[in-house]
Amino acid sequence: MKRKFVFVVMLLVTVLGLLLIPGEAQAASATVEFTTSTSEVSTGSEFTVVCRVTSSEVFSDVEMKVLYDASIMEFVSGGRKVSGEDGILQISSTGNEDEVKKRTYSLRFKALKAGVGAVEMGRRMTVKNLQGDSFSVSANRVTLTVKEPESSEATPDPAAVATPVPTEAPSLSTNNKLKSLRFDCLSMTPKFDTNVLEYTVKVDCDTNILYFNYVAAHNKAAVRIKNNDELLLGENDVRIVVTAESGDKRVYKLKVIKESESETRVREQQEKGKSDITFSVYEKEGSIFIQNQYQFQVVDVKDDSILPSGYVKTSVELEGKSVTAYTMENDLDNNYLLMYLKGTGTEPVLYQYDRMERTVQRYTGTMTQKVNKGGNVAQEKEFIPKTGAWLYAALISMAVIILILLIVILNMVLRRKLGRGKRELDDMDF
């Protein structure tokens, strides 16, 4: 019986240990997409291949190799994070302190000779978040057909050229226009017209270089981009200079407006139609504003009687901005803060900010009594991740089962010993 008891206990301990072993987390995934505005180009012309790295989870660093057919195309430029030649490029965007869901790189090539060339991801590809977790990566492959430019000159008749005829020297083309111009951007106004020279272009906070495709109206015109190495927050002056064969120049001026991180986040959430727009912070004309589905201005409390008992003034760093807030005097690190916010056309009132959920809601005073009694809201309400709730339930259930089994087994052992003792007394001869 003792052996059975030991065996049952060991079995239960083993089952409990298996429950405690965490399941292997499924790795986050990322996608590499190569795109180009045209699948056919002429020899001698330049074209852009856009490389986008996207994921449903945020990531920080990207490091990858890109392969291309060096016999068909020649690498021209790709920004400071792209380098290489002879068919292999290295994209190295590491050491980033921000986490995003998309990073974009522009690869500029020149068509060398007729044929079909491809641009694709090499074997080495790393996408990581700030915690160092690696993402699984999938990618596509883009192909381009390079053709010789069509000649407009007719084949000469041998009989007609039998006798040399003096001809005038050919004149150089003065055509310095763009035939087409397209951008990878949020918006462009006005719509491109070859004779319109000024445009306003808007891009998101993740765009460091303006990605575009163009076609010159004359195949011997040269196109050069200025001030497009590193876009800064706000307005940027980018220019496209088209130089004709004759040397005549035409300048297309682009006012490129780059969004802040907060503006991009709010816009994306509004585009998705979310009603629970999360909180973001930005500065405008010397004041700090908070944006969810409404816009609020952060103001200071002038009358301390407005604050509930037990709260003191402090400041919190939110998205790089110092925001005035009020926290519990006996629990400065509490998850909940109070902010004095003024809505559009309304008087300022107290709002409660949740550090963990990054949300704001109207303060109702439900914590005042706990504060006055010196209570710790963070300790009274323990946060349990939803993903681990099943594990806690399983552990509690297993503990109850083990306790019941132990009681049953001990009861059986005691009964067995009492029965054996009774039989020994009956066998004794008094």
Side-chain angles (χ1 to χ4, degrees):
M1 189 64 191
K2 184 177 180 181
R3 291 182 178 178
K4 291 183 178 179
F5 173 74
V6 173
F7 173 77
V8 172
V9 172
M10 291 180 63
L11 179 62
L12 293 175
V13 172
T14 303
V15 173
L16 183 60
L18 291 175
L19 287 174
L20 290 174
I21 297 175
E24 182 179 356
Q26 185 177 4
S29 61
T31 301
V32 178
E33 181 183 14
F34 294 98
T35 59
T36 182
S37 63
T38 179
S39 60
E40 186 175 301
V41 295
S42 301
T43 56
S45 64
E46 293 188 359
F47 59 93
T48 298
V49 175
V50 176
C51 173
R52 292 186 184 87
V53 183
T54 59
S55 175
S56 59
E57 303 292 334
V58 294
F59 60 91
S60 57
D61 292 352
V62 173
E63 193 165 12
M64 63 181 290
K65 288 188 180 296
V66 176
L67 308 180
Y68 66 94
D69 293 324
S71 61
I72 301 296
M73 61 189 77
E74 178 185 22
F75 176 63
V76 177
S77 63
R80 57 187 179 86
K81 296 180 181 179
V82 183
S83 61
E85 58 185 356
D86 297 332
I88 302 177
L89 301 179
Q90 177 71 34
I91 297 179
S92 183
S93 177
T94 58
N96 299 310
E97 296 181 356
D98 61 326
E99 287 188 307
V100 297
K101 293 186 178 180
K102 178 183 74 172
R103 292 198 184 278
T104 310
Y105 309 95
S106 176
L107 311 177
R108 191 75 181 165
F109 296 92
K110 181 178 181 180
L112 297 178
K113 68 175 185 180
V116 178
V119 179
E120 59 188 328
M121 186 181 76
R123 292 185 178 181
R124 294 185 58 188
M125 174 65 186
T126 302
V127 177
K128 293 183 178 181
N129 56 23
L130 289 178
Q131 289 71 42
D133 301 324
S134 296
F135 288 33
S136 61
V137 182
S138 60
N140 71 327
R141 181 173 184 264
V142 65
T143 59
L144 296 101
T145 301
V146 179
K147 293 185 176 182
E148 295 291 346
E150 297 180 0
S151 175
S152 60
E153 297 179 359
T155 304
D157 183 357
V161 296
T163 303
V165 177
T167 58
E168 296 181 0
S171 59
L172 300 178
S173 171
T174 59
N175 191 336
N176 56 9
K177 297 181 179 180
L178 289 179
K179 182 179 180 180
S180 66
L181 179 63
R182 286 177 291 191
F183 300 97
D184 181 16
C185 61
L186 299 176
S187 65
M188 170 182 170
T189 54
K191 184 178 179 180
F192 177 74
D193 184 286
T194 187
N195 296 311
V196 176
L197 301 181
E198 295 187 5
Y199 299 89
T200 298
V201 179
K202 291 185 178 181
V203 297
D204 61 23
C205 65
D206 298 321
T207 302
N208 295 319
I209 298 175
L210 186 62
Y211 306 111
F212 54 87
N213 283 280
Y214 61 81
V215 176
H218 192 273
N219 61 0
K220 291 188 178 180
V223 180
R224 186 164 60 95
I225 315 299
K226 299 178 65 177
N227 306 329
N228 192 35
D229 295 332
E230 188 71 29
L231 298 178
L232 302 176
L233 183 65
E235 293 188 8
N236 298 264
D237 181 21
V238 177
R239 303 197 173 194
I240 303 176
V241 181
V242 185
T243 305
E245 186 182 20
S246 62
D248 296 341
K249 297 181 183 295
R250 175 181 291 256
V251 180
Y252 292 87
K253 299 178 181 180
L254 310 176
K255 182 171 73 172
V256 182
I257 302 175
K258 180 176 178 179
E259 291 182 333
S260 67
E261 184 177 352
S262 299
E263 291 170 334
T264 297
R265 182 180 294 111
V266 171
R267 175 184 52 75
E268 289 177 346
Q269 291 168 344
Q270 290 174 339
E271 289 174 353
K272 292 177 182 178
K274 291 185 177 180
S275 60
D276 56 342
I277 299 177
T278 55
F279 151 130
S280 62
V281 181
Y282 61 94
E283 185 173 357
K284 181 179 179 181
E285 297 179 355
S287 298
I288 300 295
F289 288 85
I290 287 178
Q291 179 84 45
N292 53 10
Q293 62 265 48
Y294 305 105
Q295 183 188 70
F296 300 98
Q297 180 182 358
V298 180
V299 296
D300 288 337
V301 172
K302 303 298 184 182
D303 184 2
D304 291 343
S305 63
I306 296 174
L307 295 173
S309 176
Y311 276 83
V312 294
K313 184 177 180 179
T314 184
S315 63
V316 60
E317 191 79 9
L318 299 175
E319 299 185 7
K321 304 291 188 298
S322 180
V323 179
T324 300
Y326 304 87
T327 186
M328 297 180 182
E329 186 174 11
N330 63 343
D331 187 11
L332 299 179
D333 295 324
N334 192 279
N335 184 53
Y336 300 97
L337 298 173
L338 294 184
M339 294 181 180
Y340 202 44
L341 305 179
K342 182 180 183 302
T344 304
T346 63
E347 293 298 320
V349 294
L350 288 174
Y351 280 78
Q352 181 176 290
Y353 169 59
D354 188 328
R355 298 184 201 238
M356 184 176 298
E357 299 294 337
R358 292 178 56 81
T359 57
V360 290
Q361 59 184 354
R362 187 75 172 264
Y363 177 66
T364 60
T366 55
M367 293 189 299
T368 304
Q369 292 182 351
K370 295 181 180 180
V371 174
N372 292 337
K373 295 178 181 179
N376 188 331
V377 176
Q379 293 176 356
E380 293 176 7
K381 184 179 179 181
E382 182 181 1
F383 175 78
I384 299 177
K386 293 181 180 179
T387 55
W390 67 270
L391 182 58
Y392 287 94
L395 291 179
I396 293 173
S397 301
M398 184 56 64
V400 172
I401 293 172
I402 291 174
L403 181 60
I404 293 173
L405 288 175
L406 287 176
I407 292 173
V408 172
I409 293 171
L410 288 174
N411 189 31
M412 292 173 61
V413 172
L414 290 175
R415 286 185 178 182
R416 189 179 183 87
K417 287 185 176 182
L418 289 173
R420 185 183 301 168
K422 184 176 181 181
R423 287 195 300 271
E424 289 176 354
L425 288 173
D426 292 340
D427 293 339
M428 291 179 66
D429 185 11
F430 290 96

